[in-house]
Amino acid sequence: MISFNNVSMRYADGFEALKSVSFQLADGEMAFLTGHSGAGKSTLLKLITISERPASGEILFKGLNLARVLGKNIYRVRRDIGVVYQNHRLLPEKNVFENVALPLRIIGTDYRELAKRVRAAISKVGLSGSEKKFPNSLSSGEQQRVGIARAVVSKPSLLLADEPTGNLDPELSQEILKLFEQFNQVGVSSLIATHDLNLLDKNNKRKLTLSHGVLIDKSERIEGRDAVL
Amino acid sequence: MINQKGSKVGTQFFSGLRFFFLSHVREIKGALSEIIGKPLSTLVTISLIGISIGLPSIFVILGENFLAGLDRIDQSVKINVFLDKSVLVAEGLSLSKEIQDQPDVSLVRFISAEEAIKDFQKQTNLSEILFTLGQNPLPHVVEVVPVSFDPIDVAILVSSLNDLNGVESASTNLGWLERLYGVFSIVRSIGIVFAIIFFVGLILVVAHTIGVAIQNKAEEIELLLLLGATSSFIRRPFFYLGFWYGLGGGLVANIITQISFFPLAAGVERLAQSYQSSFSFDRGGSDTFFLILLIGIFLGATGAFLALSKKMGEINPKRHGYSYK
């Protein structure tokens, strides 16, 4: 699904966020990206969404090198990746339905199909009946569910999450994790950046551990389908 | 197989066309809802646009009315062509016909020396003095009404008439006409200067208003870019915002123009009457109405384009792979 080969990333101020990182995430695999604050987790995710460019190395996504991708391919890659953010990034003036529908509106989905898929995604995250509610009227956990529904509504090949349980209590965190596992079970590859030890301890997925921009642990194979690194 | 492929391509084409059309309709509606949702700021913006277009429009329409008024002053602009004393009546009539055939001549009237002296006697009561002269001192005259009343065209015609065989001299009193054209020229120049100043100001007003709208939606724009929106998808609502502001401004400009003409029209008609012209003031028809609307829409869209060029670049193009070209 995605392959990092000797990827390094340096910000304009000289800070080296990633140092020669290499790993692979197989089709249908779910893995955690962990490490301390500032270890490079968010930077790694930004490289996948082409929000940042690496200083060196290659990032292959479905055979496309994201380090060099330009023009329309940027839009195509982003449309094939669902992203869940720690702060949800919901638009406050749009209701739940409209927020979840955004990725489908962008790709020009017919309204009937759009409505069907949006309602299905909202139902999947357990928010049926909340379509007309606005984000400000929802709890933090509900807002995160809306963010997840938006990330999966366009049926992306890859689901990324940047600290998805950062603002949630342990019980809600487990519920959110279950949602990711459900999507993974239907074949969606997932990479979840978190330093929530509680979350990491309670599952058996592979963990990629970053420390000061270096991938120090990538070989913990839990499931048979995980790629050989 | 080929038919199936062709059918698939056709379906994709029409599906794409449908998406294109529907997305534009949605954005037009969305932009309209947005400006209706902020009635006060919308009123201020479209009023500014309306005034900026309306003032120069008033001057331009006034100028056009002056021009139309001048076209009707057919009794006042005459060229008197005085023929040589040696020219006989028959020759004078022939020369009149020759002048009438010129394309820049509207009307001619031949006045023989005998008719002229009779008129002179009637108007002056100086028949005794004329009797003492023993012979008619007046030449045959051809009165010429030109097609164009533009002083330059009239001067060219006078010059060409002076060059004709049998013509002693041709002259006209162009002074008042030149003054009138001078007034018209000033009105038109003021209109053009006002138009340039106001239109530049108007573009900046629209650019600022839409720039603020873009700034307010910076977070949404960043999110849409991350979700894979194209630059045209992002730009479209702001262009339609400019369109609606321009259209609204154009409507206000038409209202301002028409209201202003109530007191102005009477004044202009009085001025025209003083120049022996009778015409009704033309407030501009449907073509003027639509032209003002189009100017508004064009300027609104230009303002939107400027705002997008500036602001979209500020929303971190490098990070989001955004390039405004």
Side-chain angles (χ1 to χ4, degrees), chain B:
Chain B
M1 187 67 180
I2 292 169
N3 282 343
Q4 279 180 340
K5 273 188 182 175
S7 168
K8 194 177 177 186
V9 170
T11 307
Q12 282 176 343
F13 173 77
F14 285 113
S15 169
L17 200 65
R18 189 164 173 269
F19 166 61
F20 179 81
F21 176 73
L22 288 176
S23 61
H24 277 265
V25 169
R26 189 177 56 231
E27 298 302 349
I28 287 173
K29 281 184 185 172
L32 183 61
S33 302
E34 182 157 342
I35 66 167
I36 289 171
K38 297 170 185 167
L40 192 63
S41 68
T42 298
L43 190 67
V44 170
T45 305
I46 65 168
S47 298
L48 277 171
I49 296 169
I51 292 164
S52 303
I53 300 173
L55 275 177
S57 299
I58 289 167
F59 280 96
V60 170
I61 293 172
L62 274 176
E64 282 178 356
N65 273 279
F66 271 119
L67 192 61
L70 287 174
D71 283 342
R72 288 172 172 80
I73 307 175
D74 55 1
Q75 296 300 313
S76 303
V77 179
K78 284 175 189 162
I79 300 166
N80 290 317
V81 182
F82 298 100
L83 306 185
D84 284 339
K85 286 291 284 179
S86 59
V87 171
L88 302 173
V89 171
E91 289 169 337
L93 286 167
S94 172
L95 191 58
S96 291
K97 190 171 183 317
E98 190 185 330
I99 294 169
Q100 175 72 75
D101 290 342
Q102 290 191 25
D104 47 356
V105 170
S106 171
L107 202 67
V108 297
R109 180 178 162 229
F110 177 75
I111 303 166
S112 68
E114 285 68 32
E115 285 177 73
I117 197 83
K118 282 177 190 168
D119 284 350
F120 185 74
Q121 283 172 333
K122 275 183 199 169
Q123 288 171 18
T124 61
N125 291 324
L126 295 172
S127 54
E128 288 177 12
I129 294 171
L130 289 171
F131 186 72
T132 59
L133 289 173
Q135 59 175 1
N136 185 354
L138 300 177
H140 303 309
V141 178
V142 181
E143 277 185 0
V144 177
V145 178
V147 169
S148 165
F149 301 107
D150 186 314
I152 294 169
D153 294 337
V154 173
I156 290 168
L157 179 60
V158 167
S159 175
S160 75
L161 292 172
N162 265 315
D163 291 342
L164 292 174
N165 283 332
V167 172
E168 174 66 29
S169 69
S171 64
T172 188
N173 178 13
L174 283 173
W176 69 269
L177 189 61
E178 283 171 350
R179 283 194 295 276
L180 196 59
Y181 264 90
V183 171
F184 163 67
S185 178
I186 290 168
V187 170
R188 193 176 54 183
S189 299
I190 290 171
I192 291 167
V193 170
F194 271 30
I196 292 169
I197 293 169
F198 284 140
F199 287 0
V200 169
L202 157 63
I203 288 171
L204 294 177
V205 166
V206 175
H208 173 74
T209 306
I210 293 175
V212 170
I214 294 170
Q215 202 63 48
N216 289 340
K217 293 203 167 188
E219 202 178 329
E220 180 176 343
I221 291 168
E222 281 193 47
L223 177 68
L224 290 171
L225 287 167
L226 286 170
L227 293 175
T230 59
S231 56
S232 57
F233 184 90
I234 307 276
R235 283 199 312 252
R236 214 174 288 145
F238 298 107
F239 265 123
Y240 285 125
L241 207 56
F243 166 85
W244 283 121
Y245 280 135
L247 184 68
L251 282 171
V252 171
N254 271 309
I255 292 166
I256 289 172
T257 307
Q258 292 306 317
I259 289 173
S260 305
F261 284 150
F262 279 108
L264 281 174
V268 172
E269 280 169 5
R270 272 199 303 275
L271 180 66
Q273 279 164 11
S274 73
Y275 285 95
Q276 300 167 31
S277 175
S278 59
F279 77 103
S280 59
F281 189 85
D282 181 8
R283 294 177 167 83
S286 58
D287 51 345
T288 308
F289 176 84
F290 287 114
L291 181 65
I292 289 174
L293 282 190
L294 281 176
I295 290 170
I297 291 167
F298 171 75
L299 296 174
T302 306
F305 179 80
L306 274 183
L308 285 162
S309 302
K310 186 172 182 291
K311 293 287 178 183
M312 292 302 277
E314 287 173 7
I315 303 175
N316 212 337
K318 187 186 163 199
R319 281 189 60 187
H320 302 294
Y322 186 88
S323 169
Y324 188 81
K325 285 178 183 172

Side-chain angles (χ1 to χ4, degrees), chain A:
Chain A
M1 173 58 61
I2 194 150
S3 173
F4 271 59
N5 299 320
N6 295 313
V7 174
S8 296
M9 162 67 195
R10 186 189 295 271
Y11 283 100
D13 61 4
F15 175 70
E16 198 170 10
L18 293 176
K19 296 168 190 167
S20 199
V21 171
S22 297
F23 74 92
Q24 287 180 318
L25 186 76
D27 282 351
E29 182 184 0
M30 179 174 174
F32 286 96
L33 183 63
T34 186
H36 57 84
S37 293
K41 302 188 293 295
S42 295
T43 300
L44 193 146
L45 297 185
K46 283 177 184 173
L47 290 175
I48 298 174
T49 57
I50 324 173
S51 299
E52 297 287 356
R53 298 278 189 174
S56 62
E58 65 173 13
I59 304 161
L60 297 174
F61 174 68
K62 290 184 157 183
L64 208 61
N65 185 0
L66 302 186
R68 295 183 186 281
V69 71
L70 292 170
K72 286 182 178 175
N73 281 332
I74 294 176
Y75 310 131
R76 287 183 185 141
V77 168
R78 286 176 179 168
R79 289 173 187 185
D80 204 17
I81 298 172
V83 186
V84 179
Y85 301 93
Q86 180 179 2
N87 59 358
H88 326 306
R89 292 193 84 152
L90 302 178
L91 301 177
E93 75 280 10
K94 293 192 188 295
N95 63 30
V96 168
F97 185 95
E98 291 164 336
N99 266 289
V100 175
L102 276 176
L104 298 178
R105 267 191 55 208
I106 286 169
I107 59 174
T109 306
D110 174 79
Y111 184 77
R112 261 183 284 181
E113 173 70 9
L114 176 145
K116 197 174 105 185
R117 284 167 66 174
V118 169
R119 289 198 182 98
I122 291 172
S123 166
K124 189 75 184 165
V125 298
L127 287 176
S128 290
S130 302
E131 286 87 347
K132 290 184 179 174
K133 288 183 180 173
F134 285 85
N136 289 343
S137 68
L138 301 175
S139 69
S140 189
E142 287 172 326
Q143 287 184 32
Q144 192 58 291
R145 286 166 185 270
V146 177
I148 293 169
R150 186 183 63 196
V152 299
V153 73
S154 59
K155 298 179 181 170
S157 306
L158 177 63
L159 187 59
L160 302 178
D162 191 2
E163 302 285 0
T165 59
N167 296 328
L168 306 178
D169 61 47
E171 196 177 333
L172 275 175
S173 298
Q174 283 303 321
E175 284 181 25
I176 296 295
L177 182 63
K178 274 181 194 164
L179 280 174
F180 283 110
E181 285 172 344
Q182 285 170 16
F183 290 119
N184 179 240
Q185 279 162 12
V186 294
V188 181
S189 307
S190 309
L191 185 60
I192 301 165
T194 182
H195 61 259
D196 185 343
L197 295 174
N198 190 38
L199 202 68
L200 292 167
D201 290 344
K202 289 183 178 172
N203 73 79
N204 57 358
K205 302 293 181 187
R206 183 155 69 103
K207 296 173 187 67
L208 304 166
T209 308
L210 279 167
S211 177
H212 301 290
V214 178
L215 195 56
I216 55 169
D217 181 6
K218 59 180 176 178
S219 59
E220 188 181 346
R221 294 179 64 214
I222 308 294
E223 293 180 336
R225 68 182 177 188
D226 283 355
V228 177
L229 300 169

